[in-house]
Amino acid sequence: QVQLVESGGGLVQPGGSLRLSCAASGSIFSIYAMGWYRQAPGKQRELVAGITSGGSTDYADSVKGRFTIARDNAKNTVYLQMNSLKPEDTAVYYCNANINSGSFSWWGQGTQVTVSS
């Protein structure tokens, strides 16, 4: 019914930048909160950044000042601008969104971000 398609992952050197995109498509009536999670090898999945339908944002302490989340409601797309990347940012990044329901969320397939010299 609904799918989230992510793009923008890849390999970048420490200090570099990357922008992730996640576009929602399908039978969409409303999109509430959207966010980005990440999971590094051997670690639990964690919230990186979230944004409400009204534009309020919150970030994990580890990425504050470096990452910026934004959304384009006309395109049903959420972005994650990642600057000053560090090796510890290496993880699979997943898009998540509450679509049509505040109690059910949809997940993207994940995109690999690798920060290495």
Side-chain angles (χ1 to χ4, degrees), residues 40-98:
K43 296 184 178 180
Q44 299 296 312
R45 188 174 300 186
E46 65 174 345
L47 175 67
V48 177
I51 184 168
T52 69
S53 60
S56 297
T57 61
D58 71 294
Y59 300 89
D61 289 340
S62 60
V63 307
K64 286 182 179 178
R66 300 188 298 119
F67 290 11
T68 302
I69 188 170
R71 62 192 289 169
D72 185 336
N73 292 328
K75 296 181 179 180
N76 291 330
T77 299
V78 63
Y79 305 93
L80 184 67
Q81 178 66 47
M82 303 183 292
N83 299 325
S84 302
L85 283 162
K86 305 174 180 180
E88 49 263 46
D89 294 319
T90 296
V92 178
Y93 284 70
Y94 297 90
C95 176
N96 178 271
N98 291 108

Side-chain angles (χ1 to χ4, degrees), residues 9-18 66 82 84-91 93 112-117:
L11 175 65
V12 65
Q13 293 186 334
S17 297
L18 212 58
R66 300 188 298 119
M82 303 183 292
S84 302
L85 283 162
K86 305 174 180 180
E88 49 263 46
D89 294 319
T90 296
Y93 284 70
Q112 177 70 46
V113 172
T114 302
V115 185
S116 176
S117 59

Side-chain angles (χ1 to χ4, degrees), residues 22-36:
C22 174
S25 62
S27 183
I28 299 174
F29 304 103
S30 299
I31 301 181
Y32 301 100
M34 306 183 80
W36 289 93

